[in-house]
Amino acid sequence: DALPISTSGPPLHLAELHLAVRRAAATRQALAAGAVLERPGWDALGSWHLIAAAPSDLAVADIHPGADVLARQRRPDLEITARTVLDHGGDIARAAAQLHIHRTTLYYRIERIEALTGVNLKTSPERDALQMALRLAAFRLAAA
């Protein structure tokens, strides 16, 4: 799957060309990391702006250590599942459909994720931190 052409948002002056290039590159990186945007532009990034602006010395584990735990698993299934469930607001049917797995398999994976991270993906106040940490990890991986 080819990524759509990303834009730097509203037009900038020629003197700000470096900023436009940086914004377009960050938008493309967010798309490669799994961002689902209304349109592929800087001004559509929403909370992904926080991910794109995260300082390089901010570790993923500083946001939530559970993201590192999931990344260290032998297979990426749990990390991908956690991101999908969180991105769909805990909607099991939509997450299972996107992952192309049976709901029973999804429930099993959610139990494993919750045991490994200590985060209830439906009710824990730490859901947002885990989601941001998983997004940051994916964003940084997309740069490689």
Side-chain angles (χ1 to χ4, degrees):
D1 284 312
L3 291 174
I5 294 173
S6 56
T7 69
S8 61
L12 298 170
H13 294 282
L14 186 57
E16 297 176 307
L17 181 60
H18 66 285
L19 180 58
V21 170
R22 191 169 54 236
R23 286 179 174 181
T27 302
R28 184 169 175 78
Q29 189 174 341
L31 289 165
V36 177
L37 308 177
E38 236 178 78
R39 62 192 178 293
W42 174 257
D43 51 343
L45 281 180
S47 63
W48 282 90
H49 281 285
L50 298 172
I51 300 301
S56 60
D57 64 338
L58 177 66
V60 169
D62 291 339
I63 298 172
H64 197 285
D68 275 348
V69 171
L70 294 176
R72 286 194 304 269
Q73 299 305 302
R74 276 194 337 223
R75 295 176 25 187
D77 299 3
L78 296 180
E79 186 176 12
I80 293 166
T81 299
R83 276 204 52 205
T84 303
V85 170
L86 291 168
D87 286 348
H88 286 296
D91 186 324
I92 299 300
R94 285 181 46 208
Q98 181 175 336
L99 292 166
H100 305 289
I101 60 174
H102 192 274
R103 288 171 64 145
T104 304
T105 302
L106 180 57
Y107 283 122
Y108 170 76
R109 288 184 188 177
I110 289 171
E111 284 180 25
R112 291 279 304 132
I113 292 164
E114 290 177 348
L116 289 167
T117 65
V119 176
N120 182 309
L121 298 184
K122 280 196 168 204
T123 62
S124 175
E126 292 184 48
R127 289 175 305 158
D128 291 339
L130 179 59
Q131 182 178 29
M132 293 300 279
L134 290 167
R135 284 182 174 184
L136 180 60
F139 186 80
R140 289 184 175 161
L141 186 62

